[in-house]
Amino acid sequence: MDSLLNELTAYSKLDTNRIPYNFDRLDARDYFYDIAQELSLDLKNQNAELRYKNFVPEGVLFVGDANQLERVIHNIVAN
């Protein structure tokens, strides 16, 4: 229920352009590995399996909002 309320709040903020973005430099390899681990646990509880291969070289950085990007990835996998 908390998850649904958080998503509803986020969509409401999207409609009014009030989402606060927190941009940071993120290590691509580590960031996507961590997301894959979280998704694997979530999917395992649903009797599904995530197979993930990371071909990003070590040391590659990008600028992004870790929380918002995570929300997008979770939404893509959920749908």
Side-chain angles (χ1 to χ4, degrees):
M1 187 61 129
D2 287 338
S3 172
L4 292 173
L5 289 173
N6 288 339
E7 288 301 312
L8 183 58
T9 301
Y11 290 131
S12 172
K13 288 180 181 179
L14 269 174
D15 285 343
T16 59
N17 292 323
R18 291 186 0 222
I19 287 190
Y21 290 102
N22 298 307
F23 292 102
D24 291 311
R25 291 175 64 125
L26 304 168
D27 182 290
R29 188 174 185 84
D30 292 343
Y31 179 79
F32 290 111
Y33 176 81
D34 290 343
I35 297 293
Q37 292 299 308
E38 288 178 30
L39 287 170
S40 290
L41 293 174
D42 292 344
L43 291 172
K44 185 176 183 180
N45 293 331
Q46 299 173 23
N47 295 320
E49 179 183 353
L50 173 71
R51 293 185 184 200
Y52 171 75
K53 292 189 185 238
N54 191 333
F55 297 103
V56 177
E58 287 190 37
V60 173
L61 302 176
F62 69 98
V63 175
D65 183 317
N67 293 327
Q68 298 302 329
L69 183 55
E70 180 179 357
R71 175 175 277 125
V72 168
I73 293 169
H74 278 272
N75 284 339
I76 290 169
V77 171
N79 290 323

